Amino acid sequence: MTVARFWRRLKNLYNLIGTHCEKCGEYHYPPRNLCPKCRRSSRTVPFKFKGLGEVVTYTIIHSSTKDFEKQTPYILAIIKLNEGPHLTSQVICDHKDIHIGMKVRSAFRKLGEESDKGMLYYGTKFVPLVRG
Amino acid sequence: MKSGIVSYGAYIPRYRIKIEEIAKVWGDNPNSIIDGLMVYEKSVPDMDEDTITIAVEAARNAVNRANVNPEKIGAVFTGSESHPYAVKPTSTIVAEAIGATPNLTAADFEFACKAGTAAMQACVGMTESDMIELGLAIGADVSQGAPGDALEYTAAAGGVAYIIGKENILAKIESTYSFTTDTPDFWRREGKPYPEHGGRFTGEPGYFKHVTSAARGLMERMGTKPSDYKYAIFHQPNGKFPTRVAKMLGFSGEQIKPGLVVSRLGNTYSGSCMMGLAATLDIAKPGDRIFMTAFGSGAGSDAFSFSVTDRIDETRNGAPSVEELLANPIYVDYATYAKHKGKIKL
Ligand SMILES: [Zn+2]
């Protein structure tokens, strides 16, 4: 990731900002200009997700691209947010604890760094929900 | 003063290492270390956690506890001695992550373990003078002790955030007073990974002199005495120092008990005293008075007198308590700990 690209995406990495269609009530992540259901008659507004959801499925990555190789092995999961949308994210937990249906919450974590003198990238990952 | 604490939030990483595990590696006797420090285990950050992520998690808990509108926050100050960047503020990242940007001022504070309470004082000044409506003061650290150094037994990770304002306060700040001198008891040079310290002799002219002077100074000014307070918190680099200083000042073991979290957490440096205050607020009742004195090497102490309001009960369950954050730890061995703390370069 370049500094410029990170900076443009920063707001969406720090918080789960998507859209909500006021016509049909659907939530979208990532944000959409047009609601896929209502198309031309959609009324979408920005929406900040609470960050609560559950694991739909997951895989453990042992060999990754260069950006993530310091973090292997790590868990990559599809998470269904309580509001509806699905997204792919790292889940930070003991590998023996991860399971389908696990309740998770979003957390602010370090995503990586350019180099030992480069920029630090921060954003959203998921962790087990300890508090109900 | 009209200002007080509008909300607060804490954050502690899930991982812990036991003192025995560290002692085993260095061939030290664990029992004499545990007895000497009154610390049994300490928190360890995850590999993707640092002062910035810890500050953000604590700040989000503070915003959520009292349903604070982040756009009303006019200042974000983060106190730490482990800011990830040498140049580039932690506080701008925190402000963006909680949705407080762009109409605010921000800066990072440094003063060993009391940078967070200095940030609280700055927020009090700014809210008292109506420069801002709300100020966010954070103390967060992922402290480092050189492998094998005595500091390694206590250097821990954690953070606490306080939102200061004049309306809807859960605890009034009755007064604050500081005592500061140039005392070289502990330092870290630019670019060096681990701190240096003056060794054993520094406790008396450093910690004890400054904490007692600030505490007595505040009580003298206010005309209060230890028995006027239900609870007290003193900076806790270990369990021994705050226990001894409380006794020297005339506070009882019962008064400091709820805030003495160091035994299960370790020294969270800028978060240390503020974590003790959070743990105390978690159980405090309306009308209780709380006394706090922070200490930072270098050296200085900030003393505060708080009075808890009725609002405390409404905000009690809005964010995790310190007790909840300390519960269900995941224990790691020394090798995992060294990897988490970056002592082994990957
Ligand atoms: Zn729609």
Side-chain angles (χ1 to χ4, degrees):
Chain A
M1 199 158 18
T2 63
V3 173
R5 181 152 174 258
F6 174 76
W7 189 42
R8 279 196 299 272
R9 289 179 56 203
L10 186 147
K11 276 190 191 336
N12 295 84
L13 288 169
Y14 284 5
N15 286 290
L16 295 169
I17 313 274
T19 42
H20 172 54
C21 175
E22 288 182 329
K23 184 146 190 281
C24 70
E26 287 270 305
Y27 294 89
H28 325 110
Y29 186 88
R32 308 190 71 137
N33 290 326
L34 283 183
C35 169
K37 224 187 227 170
C38 310
R39 302 193 181 242
R40 268 152 200 255
S41 60
S42 58
R43 289 203 309 269
T44 55
V45 293
F47 179 80
K48 187 166 147 186
F49 290 94
K50 269 208 140 152
L52 300 175
E54 66 175 63
V55 172
V56 176
T57 186
Y58 67 92
T59 182
I60 296 175
I61 308 283
H62 289 275
S63 65
S64 71
T65 56
K66 207 166 177 300
D67 292 354
F68 295 98
E69 65 187 5
K70 280 183 191 171
Q71 299 174 38
T72 55
Y74 62 87
I75 301 164
L76 199 62
I78 294 177
I79 289 150
K80 181 178 187 282
L81 295 173
N82 286 357
E83 294 90 345
H86 289 61
L87 58 92
T88 305
S89 168
Q90 271 194 52
V91 173
I92 306 294
C93 71
D94 200 314
H95 292 191
K96 63 183 192 300
D97 294 338
I98 184 82
H99 59 272
I100 289 166
M102 181 191 229
K103 299 262 184 256
V104 289
R105 72 163 179 96
S106 62
F108 195 81
R109 294 287 178 120
K110 204 168 131 180
L111 301 181
E113 57 188 57
E114 248 185 326
S115 64
D116 65 352
K117 61 177 183 188
M119 222 196 122
L120 301 168
Y121 301 122
Y122 295 93
T124 304
K125 292 183 187 177
F126 283 78
V127 296
L129 180 67
V130 178
R131 196 177 204 255
Chain B
M1 284 200 286
K2 289 198 178 76
S3 293
I5 298 166
V6 173
S7 190
Y8 66 97
Y11 179 76
I12 299 168
R14 286 284 303 279
Y15 298 96
R16 303 285 184 282
I17 186 164
K18 288 190 185 286
I19 298 309
E20 291 145 62
E21 176 67 19
I22 303 174
K24 207 165 71 189
V25 171
W26 302 109
D28 291 336
N29 176 352
N31 293 330
S32 71
I33 289 166
I34 291 167
D35 287 348
L37 298 172
M38 288 170 64
V39 175
Y40 307 96
E41 57 196 58
K42 64 165 195 170
S43 64
V44 178
D46 206 337
M47 283 191 286
D48 56 0
E49 289 185 303
D50 62 16
T51 292
I52 290 176
T53 66
I54 288 171
V56 168
E57 291 282 320
R60 283 181 175 168
N61 282 336
V63 167
N64 291 340
R65 175 183 299 279
N67 261 322
V68 172
N69 176 359
E71 288 175 6
K72 288 189 174 173
I73 295 173
V76 174
F77 299 132
T78 310
S80 179
E81 56 168 47
S82 53
H83 291 291
Y85 285 105
V87 178
K88 162 88 183 85
T90 296
S91 298
T92 54
I93 298 173
V94 174
E96 189 74 58
I98 62 166
T101 51
N103 300 311
L104 80 162
T105 183
D108 288 355
F109 281 35
E110 278 184 34
F111 194 150
C113 299
K114 80 158 196 81
T117 51
M120 284 173 75
Q121 289 177 326
C123 287
V124 169
M126 291 180 81
T127 54
E128 278 298 297
S129 62
D130 291 320
M131 276 178 77
I132 57 171
E133 188 175 338
L134 297 173
L136 173 62
I138 303 168
D141 260 306
V142 285
S143 321
Q144 291 273 30
D149 188 283
L151 288 176
E152 198 187 12
Y153 285 107
T154 51
V160 200
Y162 286 88
I163 297 173
I164 308 292
K166 286 206 275 197
E167 275 166 36
N168 296 317
I169 54 173
L170 56 84
K172 185 177 175 345
I173 298 172
E174 296 176 313
S175 191
T176 175
Y177 167 78
S178 296
F179 182 87
T180 309
T181 70
D182 182 5
T183 307
D185 53 344
F186 177 97
W187 61 89
R188 178 169 69 79
R189 292 276 301 274
E190 182 72 45
K192 295 281 183 264
Y194 303 117
E196 299 285 326
H197 47 91
R200 210 167 260 266
F201 88 93
T202 59
E204 292 306 326
Y207 183 91
F208 291 100
K209 183 185 163 192
H210 290 79
V211 171
T212 53
S213 300
R216 286 188 183 124
L218 180 60
M219 286 189 279
E220 232 161 70
R221 277 175 145 202
M222 293 181 68
T224 56
K225 52 189 186 306
S227 59
D228 293 333
Y229 296 93
K230 177 87 191 248
Y231 303 110
I233 304 106
F234 300 98
H235 172 52
Q236 27 199 283
N238 51 54
K240 274 268 162 78
F241 279 27
T243 305
R244 207 178 117 203
V245 89
K247 210 170 170 189
M248 285 165 73
L249 288 163
F251 287 92
S252 72
E254 284 305 302
Q255 283 169 298
I256 61 166
K257 202 174 160 195
L260 202 61
V261 290
V262 66
S263 307
R264 288 181 293 157
L265 174 63
N267 181 7
T268 50
Y269 286 56
S270 301
S272 165
C273 214
M274 294 164 82
M275 190 72 77
L277 176 62
T280 305
L281 287 170
D282 285 341
I283 54 121
K285 296 201 168 54
D288 288 347
R289 286 176 92 184
I290 301 171
F291 191 81
M292 171 172 92
T293 308
F295 171 72
S297 292
S301 269
D302 301 328
F304 293 78
S305 176
F306 303 98
S307 152
V308 178
T309 73
D310 294 341
R311 170 96 176 131
I312 193 96
D313 290 325
E314 294 162 51
T315 57
R316 183 101 50 203
N317 298 315
S321 66
V322 173
E323 202 51 53
E324 284 175 272
L325 294 167
L326 283 170
N328 307 310
I330 300 166
Y331 290 101
V332 296
D333 57 18
Y334 193 87
T336 311
Y337 157 75
K339 195 176 166 194
H340 279 225
K341 298 279 281 184
K343 290 184 188 200
I344 296 170
K345 293 277 176 219
L346 292 172

